Amino acid sequence: MRLGFLVDLSRCMGCMACAVACKAENNVPLHSWRLRVKYIDQGEFPDVKRHFVPLRCNHCENAPCERICPVSALHYLPNGIVNVDHDRCIGCASCMMACPYNAIYLDPITNSADKCTYCAHRIEVGLMPACVVACPTHANIFGDLDDPESEISKYLKSHRDVMVRKPELNTHPKHFYVRGSTVALDPLASERPEGFTLFTEVKFLDHIGGH
Amino acid sequence: MRTSRRNFLKGLAATVGGAAFAKGIIEKSQASSHIEEKTEITFTPSHLDYYPPFEKWDHWQEPDGDYWKKHGGALREGVKIINYMLVPTVCNNCEAACGLTAWVDRDNLVVKKYMGNPFHSGSRGRNCAKGYATQSQMYDPDRIPFPLKRAPGSKRGEGKWVRTTWDEALETIAKKMREALEKGDEFHRKMIMYHVGRPNESGGFTARVVWTWGGDHHNSHTNICSSGGRLGSIAWTSDDRTSPDFANSRLIFLSSSHAADAGHYFQQHAGYIADARAKGAKLVVMDPRLSNSAGLADLWIPVWPGTEGAIFLALSNRLLQEDKYNRKFVERWFNWKTFIKDKDYLNYLKKEGRIQRIPEGETFDDFIDVLKQIYAPYTFEWAAEETKVPLDRIEKLYELVLWAGDRITSYFWRAQAAGNRGGWMNAGRTGLFFLALTGSIGGIGAVGWHHWHVLGVGGKGYAATIGKKPKPVDDWNELLWPPEWPLSTYELSFILPHLLSDDQWREKWAKRGLKIPGKLKVWISKIYNPVWINPDGFRWIQVLRDENKMELTVNLSPTWSETNWFVDYILPVGLAGERHDNQSAETKPERWTAFRQPVLRVALQKMGWKPKVPWRATLEAHIKAGLGEVWEENEFWINLAWAIDPDGKLGIRKYWESKRNPGKPVTIEEWYNAAFSTLPNLRKICEKLEISPYEYMRDRGAWTEETNVYNVMEREVPYDPEKNAIKVKGKWIPLSECEIDEDTGAVYLKHHDADKLHSERHTIAVKKDGKFLVGFHTPTGVLEYYSKTFVEWNWPEYAIPIYPKDEEDRKKLIHITTHVHHSYMDEENAFALNPIYRLPYNIHTRSVNSKWLMEISQNHNPVWIYEGDAKRLGIRRGDPIKVWVVDSLTGIKTGYFVGMAMPTQATRPGVLACSHHHGRWRLVNSVEIEGFDQEIGVLTYGSALADIQNQGSKWAVRWKSGVVKGRHIEKDHSEDWLKWPYPEMNEDIKEVWWNGATGVWQNAVFPANPDPLSGMHCWHKKVLVERGGPDDKIGDVFVDTEATFKVYQAWRDILTRPAPGPNCLRRPKWFKRPWYPHTDKAYRMPCPDKQQEHSAEH
Amino acid sequence: MIGAEVTFDVPIPKVIWGWLVSTNMWAKSIATGSFFLGLYFINKYPEQDRFFRKWLPILGLIFIGITLLVTILDLHHMFRFWKIFVHPHFTSAVTLGAWVVSGFVIILLIAFWSWLTGKRKLFDKVMIPGFILAFFATIYTAGIMGQATAREVWVFPAEMISMLLSALLAGSAAYLVIDAIFNHPLKEEIRKELSYILFGSAGLMAAMFIGELVFAKMHSEFAHKVIQILAFGEVAIFFWIGMFLAFIVPMIFVGIYTQKKDYKYALYGSLSALVGLWFIKHAWLIAPQSLPLS
Ligand SMILES: Nc1nc2c(c(=O)[nH]1)N[C@H]1C(S)=C(S)[C@@H](COP(=O)(O)OP(=O)(O)OC[C@H]3O[C@@H](n4cnc5c(=O)[nH]c(N)nc54)[C@H](O)[C@@H]3O)O[C@H]1N2
Ligand SMILES: Nc1nc2c(c(=O)[nH]1)N[C@H]1C(S)=C(S)[C@@H](COP(=O)(O)OP(=O)(O)OC[C@H]3O[C@@H](n4cnc5c(=O)[nH]c(N)nc54)[C@H](O)[C@@H]3O)O[C@H]1N2
Ligand code: SF4
Ligand code: SF4
Ligand code: SF4
Ligand code: SF4
Ligand code: SF4
Ligand SMILES: [Mo]
């Protein structure tokens, strides 16, 4: 079993249900996100588009974070999930330096590394991840990549425009996007000016973890 | 790999829950909920479900996500299992009424999370961010833990509070109400008012409560929300809104933001729209601002606000001229015969220059000929000029229209309808004309109607009481329905303080025989924050503070708000998972209904707990679970009825007296069982399952009574030739009591001179081809292209869908010309301000109590300004800009606000945008209550601390600071039973990182601008923009309430055409009074000239 | 203007590894550099080996001590550092580094013991394993950098060479400073040789950095952006101070020293190199962290 994720970006509407569902499910503290949804505005009036893109851990098959973790706090589960153990973590932040997708953060309460676990604890009892359940537009598709009958496998088979983030890094993400665009998936294809925007304050955190 | 999930769960058999159940008590016990053996857990389940199987809802075991991450999950330290009970309820964060399930931890009675409800066919187990945020609202550390009362001797707004009890509050309120009711006259009854914001209930439970008090007491907030959206629709069908079948349509042509931002039934509709698009449908969004919906649409129509009618009529014109309209549908369902036969009216149109010739004949083709004449001037070129939309986009749109055929959907609610004077015409009236011409009405992939699909039964539990149904009410409260707005769709709620403080106005009407009180004895509001979300908030504050105008004021609110700061009683009722309501919404061509419940109460009861006083069970349960002295409205009202009328003398008590237990208040179980029993299909299934309808709804939370509800107007009405009667709403009505309109087949009750006066008609069916059909409940029984009612009420120019063609026309048709029309933008720095748009993850003033939603949105509402405009004015990103509000009718400046400028490509040139979701404020960080040993925080992580200055009519606001950061939450009060402020749930509140002082309270500067016909507050404003000076800070507001008052008076006096209408009517009889029925007498007012038989002057 | 702009995003972490890590790398360069050069000079000039047998362990222990201290200080769970020995994960350069450095510390302790007790043989026996450990102690950071796949300019072989060069730079500079402090106990020849090493490593490192500046844009867009930040962006000040102090000043001063035989200049050049090294390490560490990764 290889659990994988797929987001159909033509369905995503940027509502953040997934992001909040994730906070609730996993007790993700303020200041931290296992899953975030980015908006990107592109073009000039009246030819303007807004892109929405949910970003979470890719559960890479060749995961730099797992490789660099000195104590295996990040580790693979038999179903392919890259799991995390706060007790084990020594807080060296190497994984944050290694993950090319900014998927890991230091939990300010436990001071340990944390990230999306594909809701491994719910998988255990046969339930979909919280963000998948929430999504109003069914943009999130989750399942077993090894099972040709799973929705995700079928989706992958029937779409030609499957993308992953930074494929050149050879991390082999198990998180796919369809009907995406470079603008949505490549962080350098848009500007991320710091400061207030139409919706929020875009900034870098002034501290990580609990100190 | 085979799943061992089932075994694993069996092995764990809920020792804790089970034992507790047996003993009938709940005790905290955590030790036993660990599994040591990780081997029993499967990493590779055979399949993944969205929700646990229903049989397991009472005992569902799931690993704790938090424990998992901390200890590495099953590979490491085992897992901690939570013993859940899933209790269904309904989201309260918008009107979509999506299903929720509360995941109650049986061991310590907290709701660990809310998810969706798979039994809910509208929401399909899905939710938006706000649904999930319910949990954070529930355990908001700034919640109010017990009833509060203004400290004796202190003034309103001084911020001195004492703790009180529910009993004391009930007694005080009841006594005051009794005083008024015992007088037994209308004048005194008018002094009692219930005032609700978004009610979030269906089928009228609270309406029945108010109805049983006996007068015209029910005020709502609808005229700031959607009256403009409703009037156009009412004029066409008598139903106040469409119910589109988005999922099956080909062209979704929105003049709203349903696809991705908001919309009346937000996430459900968004989901259906996404489904349709996946099947190839196209999405077009008409919006001056790039909403998220517009941002993802196939085509964005960046229209100038309030000019949408031009597009609808241009499309209609093209369809007509090219003979591409749906002839079959139009011929069958338009009231064209009424129109073509009304020579008076045709002559009037000719006189007005709308048509050149009146056809001799009265055929359908003659009708089309007239339409072609009327709409000929509305060309695409003209529309492009008028709306400022590039011509090629209109052409593109037309292509899509032709491609989509009769599967076009839209929803008219706010947008132009709420923003602009005449919005009702620019939305539903012209928009539905266009839709109806394509035949996109009623069928698959088209628009149906609200009443076809909605299924509310909340008020129908009276079989459980002794009193049954009260009689129609005789009163007419002018504080709700002032005579100036006879066609208004709902109560003129937002001008309540204006009415109360306007002695001249009262005197004027007193001379004509209307007795209008100058004060209220009791004002009870619920889910309503008028100070902040209405225009002219300082006028509200003025009147709320005036004890001579409002003697006793009560706010039913679980949380702090700008309004409840100024009232006498704040009564903490429950949130979405803490109260009972029945709610339904017409979100698709189905009839579903859902049950909101106090989930902790339900969980407790299922575990064997019993309340001491069954009609106060919710309050007891919340105390038991440690939530706080939090009650619910339903039981509060029932108890209040008993407090008002303890001995039954006032005739109120009986309506709330249990049939099963005479002499005792009806219980929630009894009431809702009776209410849900009115659904035949539900009853059937319950008989099969051998449970009661109440139990069904308690356990599953939602029920779908009927699917595939299309073309209801074509359904036959039962006819019995023997009785010569038709069956309407379960009653046989003899045709001898009816008249039939020979032109359209409308069957209406004989009534005054209903054959002549459309305003007097009550249509119950329509006769077509010898059959009785449901039809539409308009005076003509069909779709009213031509509404004679408008002619009878002296608005002949608006009896058909119309739009001002040019400058001259705009002067004549000023009532439907947007007050922010581009021709009013004379100054270089003049803009139209669009203050109405929603953020998908926020809900008015309810997000402030969710840390998650505030973290996303941060009380930040910058002013969007087109980059080109900003450059021209030298404005850069983040600059404070001073936005002066100017009334385009009078030229009066009412004040200014200072917002943060946000230059962008995402709003059209000349039009600013600023959301009303932010700019929330508080006056103190916390309040101290004597005898309670911890301060109660006030909106600490979602608002700015404001300094408000007042001199005479001049008011100024300045932010002193933003949110409270780094706050530690400890439970150091001595009341052991109370979990508040829920420290376990709020460990992270010290991580608040946002500033929260970049928003602005724009509504305060807006004068009340009631639309002369619909009564809708016209939200958009003409503004003048300046760069902020050194003294201007973001968040500043300055208002002169004398100026705002003058503007309001001008709109009232210059633009309205007051009642009475024909036959001294206060309002057309078929324009229903919402909430509960009124007698014929109530509908009529003293006439200046009693014998005047009204005939419209053409 | 790219024509696309982020309009909603949550705050994301920026500097994950800060000055503690720069200090780590800096101190470790001194510790390992002085070890390499110590070995070299002990073997090449056995007649002068007292100096190196003394200062090699002292410099080594002090600076590896600093390295370890800042490493542990930088952990968000300081008191869990021992887990690295109990739950080691050997694919991780961090783990390898911890083990290697631990071994290196033992060698240094032996060296120290050998100097203290005068049992030279003791140290001689562990020279080869010591060299290997020092080598790996030098380059494991490059390994970590290489494994920090998120930060594209840190690529393994180049980073490794750069680490070795900084060790040589720091080691030579450190010995020159000690030499100056203790009034030039070293032979002129050795000092000269140290100066050449300093000069050479500075020159090579400078060339590498300049190469990076010029060639980064041909690697990837990300690398190019990082270099822009490095050379012209928020850390440019650190970078150019570093370039100047670590490479240019030492090269000039050492040049002057070899010409004029004025020892002062060797001292100044060395001090400048040591200070500059910290700056350039810091700039190099921070620059790639300033870009959003997603
Ligand atoms: N997320 C979320 N959903 C909600 C709510 C919420 O607060 N948050 N509130 C609920 C409530 S009470 C309501 S009434 C509904 C309302 O939901 P909608 O009917 O969608 O109304 P709005 O959000 O007011 O406006 C919709 C769009 O109209 C645009 N608009 C503004 N003025 C004009 C105009 O003059 N012409 C045109 N063509 N467009 C214009 C705005 O920019 C906005 O994008 O949403 C409900 N759903
Ligand atoms: N500028 C601008 N202003 C607007 C709008 C706009 O688009 N632009 N939109 C308008 C529209 S459409 C609407 S519908 C109104 C909405 O405005 P309101 O009808 O006032 O509704 P809310 O702000 O959602 O909630 C009001 C209060 O209810 C209380 N409350 C919250 N949750 C609960 C609960 O579960 N139970 C009870 N009993 N009380 C609760 C809180 O005190 C909260 O402040 O705003 C209007 N104001
Ligand atoms: S819940 Fe679905 S639609 Fe909403 S932001 Fe997440 S992925 Fe997109
Ligand atoms: S996305 Fe990042 S955190 Fe997730 S597996 Fe890949 S490298 Fe690790
Ligand atoms: S921070 Fe924790 S999880 Fe990340 S690499 Fe270090 S020990 Fe591993
Ligand atoms: S799978 Fe679970 S942990 Fe991952 S983003 Fe979704 S909800 Fe969060
Ligand atoms: S759409 Fe409305 S009712 Fe549905 S989950 Fe969101 S806020 Fe709740
Ligand atoms: Mo609304």
Side-chain angles (χ1 to χ4, degrees), chain A:
Chain A
M1 172 174 263
R2 286 185 311 136
L3 292 171
F5 225 114
L6 180 146
V7 179
D8 183 339
L9 288 177
S10 72
R11 298 187 77 121
C12 175
M13 58 158 163
C15 70
M16 318 254 172
C18 48
V20 173
C22 178
K23 285 231 164 185
E25 178 65 40
N26 297 296
N27 199 9
V28 179
L30 296 177
H31 205 277
S32 314
W33 291 266
R34 287 181 173 206
L35 159 60
R36 65 190 227 260
V37 183
K38 203 164 79 163
Y39 291 10
I40 300 149
D41 281 17
Q42 183 189 26
E44 287 189 358
F45 182 87
D47 299 307
V48 200
K49 282 263 153 209
R50 185 164 294 143
H51 303 263
F52 310 104
V53 52
L55 302 167
R56 54 170 85 66
C57 166
N58 293 315
H59 295 263
C60 308
E61 270 174 297
N62 178 18
C65 64
E66 187 272 349
R67 190 183 315 124
I68 205 172
C69 178
V71 291
S72 297
L74 291 158
H75 56 277
Y76 282 105
L77 297 181
N79 50 18
I81 286 176
V82 179
N83 194 36
V84 42
D85 178 346
H86 285 204
D87 274 354
R88 178 72 67 82
C89 172
I90 62 173
C92 65
S94 310
C95 49
M96 296 175 75
M97 297 300 287
C99 170
Y101 309 98
N102 226 334
I104 311 189
Y105 58 90
L106 271 160
D107 183 311
I109 307 286
T110 64
N111 237 336
S112 299
D114 197 16
K115 65 170 195 64
C116 161
T117 58
Y118 279 176
C119 286
H121 64 288
R122 280 174 62 85
I123 306 293
E124 303 295 279
V125 287
L127 289 181
M128 286 282 182
C131 57
V132 177
V133 177
C135 181
T137 61
H138 197 51
N140 288 320
I141 289 144
F142 183 81
D144 183 3
L145 297 168
D146 283 342
D147 174 0
E149 290 308 305
S150 65
E151 188 185 6
I152 188 168
S153 298
K154 288 187 190 151
Y155 227 98
L156 286 171
K157 224 177 286 160
S158 60
H159 286 77
R160 289 168 176 222
D161 57 349
V162 178
M163 298 171 86
V164 296
R165 288 189 277 155
K166 300 188 185 171
E168 69 282 3
L169 293 181
N170 237 5
T171 51
H172 297 297
K174 286 202 303 298
H175 189 296
F176 306 93
Y177 295 90
V178 300
R179 297 192 234 188
S181 60
T182 319
V183 176
L185 296 181
D186 177 353
L188 297 182
S190 58
E191 277 179 309
R192 187 181 186 273
E194 274 190 78
F196 288 98
T197 71
L198 296 176
F199 298 101
T200 182
E201 185 179 5
V202 168
K203 60 181 209 168
F204 287 103
L205 291 171
D206 37 17
H207 71 272
I208 59 166
H211 56 229

Side-chain angles (χ1 to χ4, degrees), chain C residues 24-194:
Chain C
N24 164 326
M25 292 191 289
W26 174 80
K28 203 184 58 187
S29 297
I30 301 177
T32 58
S34 55
F35 191 89
F36 291 140
L37 295 178
L39 283 196
Y40 170 74
F41 285 109
I42 289 171
N43 286 309
K44 188 162 177 201
Y45 303 97
E47 67 281 11
Q48 273 263 341
D49 72 346
R50 283 189 57 104
F51 178 87
F52 289 105
R53 282 185 188 269
K54 171 178 176 189
W55 288 108
L56 176 146
I58 292 178
L59 281 175
L61 283 172
I62 290 174
F63 285 96
I64 208 72
I66 294 176
T67 309
L68 288 173
L69 182 73
V70 293
T71 306
I72 290 177
L73 280 181
D74 198 38
L75 295 182
H76 290 253
H77 284 297
M78 254 192 274
F79 302 109
R80 288 192 192 161
F81 72 90
W82 51 269
K83 291 199 181 198
I84 215 166
F85 301 108
V86 185
H87 303 295
H89 184 45
F90 286 112
T91 60
S92 167
V94 182
T95 312
L96 292 174
W99 288 66
V100 164
V101 171
S102 308
F104 184 51
V105 170
I106 293 171
I107 302 285
L108 285 173
L109 286 172
I110 294 172
F112 186 69
W113 184 251
S114 130
W115 166 69
L116 217 63
T117 58
K119 292 182 186 154
R120 292 158 156 249
K121 282 263 167 62
L122 203 59
F123 182 40
D124 293 348
K125 269 191 210 148
V126 295
M127 272 190 181
I128 296 194
F131 175 78
I132 295 170
L133 286 171
F135 180 78
F136 283 106
T138 310
I139 66 159
Y140 86 79
T141 314
I144 298 178
M145 297 288 212
Q147 285 192 336
T149 19
R151 324 289 161 171
E152 274 185 63
V153 288
W154 303 338
V155 280
F156 182 70
E159 203 61 36
M160 177 181 80
I161 293 168
S162 170
M163 292 284 168
L164 287 169
L165 288 173
S166 19
L168 295 182
L169 180 97
S172 54
Y175 282 129
L176 285 171
V177 172
I178 303 282
D179 176 56
I181 293 172
F182 292 96
N183 228 344
H184 308 295
L186 283 176
K187 276 209 301 207
E188 181 66 24
E189 235 176 310
I190 297 180
R191 197 162 33 246
K192 245 201 190 133
E193 205 164 329
L194 280 169

Side-chain angles (χ1 to χ4, degrees), chain B residues 142-206:
Chain B
D142 294 344
R143 273 192 84 148
I144 298 171
F146 37 69
L148 292 175
K149 173 183 170 171
R150 169 163 62 102
S154 70
K155 290 213 188 79
R156 288 198 189 134
E158 222 178 276
K160 298 210 173 109
W161 300 96
V162 292
R163 181 172 179 173
T164 187
T165 62
W166 281 97
D167 286 308
E168 186 275 331
L170 276 172
E171 206 27 67
T172 309
I173 300 163
K175 186 166 162 253
K176 195 86 183 162
M177 286 179 68
R178 228 172 15 239
E179 269 171 39
L181 294 175
E182 272 169 351
K183 299 255 185 308
D185 61 63
E186 177 173 358
F187 184 71
H188 285 92
R189 279 196 296 267
K190 286 181 193 173
M191 291 188 215
I192 294 175
M193 188 179 291
Y194 163 70
H195 204 162
V196 66
R198 267 279 143 230
N200 283 3
E201 53 168 327
S202 308
F205 180 91
T206 316

